[in-house]
Amino acid sequence: MFSIYNSIKERPLVMGILNVTPDSFFETGKSYFAEAAFNRALEIESEGADILDIGGCSTSPGKTFASSEEELSRLKTVLPLIPNTVKIPVSVDTFRPEIAKFALQNGVEIVNDESGVFSESMASLVKEFDASWIFMHTGNKTSSEVGEYKNGIVSEVLEFFKSMKEQALSFGIKEEKLCFDYGLGFGKSREDDLTLLKNTNQFKAFKPLLVGVSNKRVIGQATGREVSERLSGTLSAESISAFLGADVIRTHNVKACLDAVSVAVCIKKGGFLDG
């Protein structure tokens, strides 16, 4: 099975987002179901994505979560068709173990877990299927809430990563199967988001580190732009994240992101990428 850790390159891996929902904050009005989702998946792969991340439940600010039944119904329109067609590994973006189980049974190799907690049910599935597991920090809050972190957001996330890693290893999950996401926008203020981005290099003990900043509110507040106009700001943040050591960039704009992070890594390296 695929391991993000064992697939790290000179540049960050690029994870392309495929939302199989009618209420994505970035693609409102676009419902990528069945044939449309299949075509979009192929497009994301052709643009150079290293991983395809499929989600069936929007966790955007102010949104009511779809029920488990609705999330499962949406994913059934694209699984197992997409994992059996694209040549890149596929991730499922969910906080529900029952959804992760269905996805893993249908060709998905990575669980992108938005729950923000250690779940033995999720851990059992990851172990059973030898899947990769992405932990996201939320502070036990949603994207509409802001937590209070008395020791600062960086210390809070570092402690969360340490705890999650220890619990996973104690559960018998291989370290090479773990990935860490500091969860921009989830349980955080926009100032918290900026602090995490600025301190990306402080998380180097936890690899691979995933950064998902694409078109988020922190970009909107920094630029004054609406969601549809945040590409330039997004690419700036993604480039800086790559320069500071991010291992995976989760993005809506695969081709542009790939170019931006490749240039950032070349500048950092002082030379061009191999291959």
Side-chain angles (χ1 to χ4, degrees), residues 10-241:
E10 283 189 281
R11 62 158 175 83
L13 300 177
V14 174
M15 173 185 276
I17 301 168
L18 175 60
N19 289 311
V20 192
T21 70
D23 56 352
S24 160
F25 85 96
F26 178 65
E27 297 170 315
T28 300
K30 291 184 180 179
S31 297
Y32 286 126
F33 299 114
E35 185 178 355
F38 179 75
N39 290 335
R40 178 62 184 145
L42 292 176
E43 183 178 38
I44 287 172
E45 181 180 38
S46 71
E47 289 175 350
D50 300 289
I51 302 168
L52 174 65
D53 190 43
I54 301 177
C57 175
S58 176
T59 53
S60 302
K63 299 291 177 63
T64 300
F65 295 163
S67 67
S68 177
E69 292 77 16
E70 179 61 26
E71 184 179 2
L72 181 60
S73 175
R74 292 169 180 174
L75 289 174
K76 281 182 175 178
T77 67
V78 298
L79 299 176
L81 180 63
I82 289 175
N84 287 335
T85 302
V86 297
K87 296 179 177 63
I88 57 176
V90 177
S91 166
V92 65
D93 183 15
T94 188
F95 56 88
R96 294 175 169 132
E98 65 271 25
I99 301 300
K101 182 176 182 178
F102 172 78
L104 292 168
Q105 289 173 331
N106 286 276
V108 167
E109 299 179 85
I110 306 163
V111 177
N112 186 6
D113 183 358
E114 296 181 321
S115 68
V117 297
F118 186 89
S119 160
E120 290 197 359
S121 296
M122 194 72 89
S124 294
L125 287 168
V126 169
K127 186 175 179 181
E128 177 186 352
F129 286 90
D130 195 28
S132 290
W133 191 6
I134 302 170
F135 302 133
M136 188 175 80
H137 175 272
T138 67
N140 294 315
K141 302 289 184 181
T142 69
S143 59
S144 299
E145 301 170 312
V146 176
E148 294 184 13
Y149 308 110
K150 62 181 181 180
N151 295 320
I153 189 62
V154 173
S155 293
E156 159 72 22
V157 175
L158 285 169
E159 283 300 312
F160 169 78
F161 284 172
K162 182 179 180 221
S163 174
M164 294 292 279
K165 180 178 179 179
E166 288 175 349
Q167 290 180 83
L169 295 180
S170 295
F171 204 85
I173 295 170
K174 302 170 188 173
E175 185 171 357
E176 68 190 44
K177 294 294 184 176
L178 306 180
C179 182
F180 306 86
D181 177 358
Y182 46 52
L184 295 174
F186 286 80
K188 300 169 186 71
S189 67
R190 306 294 72 75
E191 289 75 18
D192 288 335
D193 292 339
L194 288 176
T195 298
L196 288 168
L197 286 164
K198 178 181 177 180
N199 288 280
T200 294
N201 59 353
Q202 298 300 309
F203 298 92
K204 59 186 177 182
F206 298 95
K207 293 181 73 69
L209 177 69
L210 183 150
V211 174
V213 67
S214 184
N215 299 295
K216 287 190 173 180
R217 288 172 294 172
V218 63
I219 304 299
Q221 189 159 331
T223 63
R225 302 290 186 184
E226 296 299 321
V227 174
S228 62
E229 299 178 323
R230 294 177 187 170
L231 176 58
S232 296
T234 290
L235 294 176
S236 176
E238 290 173 341
S239 297
I240 291 170
S241 299

